[in-house]
Amino acid sequence: MKQRHRRLMLPVALGLSDGILNALMLAANRLHGNTEPMTMSLSLRIAVATAVASIFMLFVAEYAQLRQELEHADMQLNVLAPGRMATSRQGWAVAREACVVASISGLCAFIGSGAPLLVAAVLGAGGLWALAMAVIGLGLLGALVARAVHGSWLVWTIVMMLGGAAVTVLGVYLHIV
């Protein structure tokens, strides 16, 4: 796999799966039909909230990981002042890289969360199609990840769909929205 594709695997897979799972957890009860139908406003608010949380979470994780790598490089190069590389241009490059990766994850989370919820809002009454679309979307994501990592597409697809179904049941039980 090319280096660029490898670099995008985490933010894309994490963003899409996080977005879909957040949509299922937060809105499963409403999509299941136990309350009023999904609105465009609510679907966009959930998608934005999911995107913001994904951006923040992945930025913190990615920035911490990259800073730790700079610290390791300091140690390997016997730099006398710890953290010296982090205060140089490499430190700014790490911050920019973390911002890019976090932004990609946030965009994917927005799409993953927003797509099934917007479908439910457009269809109006009942969101079972949106629930099915979200769970199938997780399955497709699992198949793509399996292909990228040379895993079993069937196992990845089934596990991702079972996870989506379990989160849906939990979301209906918790009836958050």
Side-chain angles (χ1 to χ4, degrees):
M1 185 184 318
K2 293 181 182 176
Q3 179 64 26
R4 188 68 170 153
H5 291 114
R6 197 172 317 158
R7 195 75 192 116
L8 292 176
M9 173 67 80
L10 177 67
V12 170
L14 183 70
L16 287 172
S17 61
D18 183 45
I20 294 169
L21 291 172
N22 271 303
L24 291 173
M25 178 65 73
L26 295 173
N29 191 54
R30 186 169 287 211
L31 294 175
H32 188 260
N34 293 344
T35 63
E36 64 271 5
M38 180 63 63
T39 64
M40 294 288 270
S41 172
L42 181 59
S43 61
L44 287 174
R45 289 186 315 218
I46 290 173
V48 167
T50 299
V52 169
S54 182
I55 289 169
F56 182 76
M57 181 264 317
L58 195 58
F59 176 81
V60 170
E62 185 71 14
Y63 187 65
Q65 176 67 33
L66 293 173
R67 285 289 296 251
Q68 187 177 32
E69 290 174 14
L70 284 180
E71 181 183 327
H72 180 73
D74 275 345
M75 188 176 70
Q76 293 295 316
L77 295 171
N78 291 324
V79 174
L80 296 176
R84 181 158 179 137
M85 289 183 82
T87 60
S88 68
R89 279 191 281 169
Q90 287 86 6
W92 285 105
V94 160
R96 279 191 307 277
E97 177 71 15
C99 282
V100 168
V101 168
S103 297
I104 292 169
S105 178
L107 177 63
C108 290
F110 182 84
I111 292 168
S113 179
L117 298 179
L118 287 172
V119 164
V122 169
L123 292 179
L128 291 179
W129 286 106
L131 288 174
M133 183 179 121
V135 172
I136 290 168
L138 280 172
L140 290 173
L141 177 61
L144 291 173
V145 169
R147 183 173 186 270
V149 300
H150 304 290
S152 168
W153 70 269
L154 184 61
V155 170
W156 273 89
T157 301
I158 290 171
V159 168
M160 293 288 280
M161 289 179 78
L162 286 174
V167 168
T168 300
V169 169
L170 184 59
V172 169
Y173 174 75
L174 293 175
H175 53 85
I176 296 170
V177 175

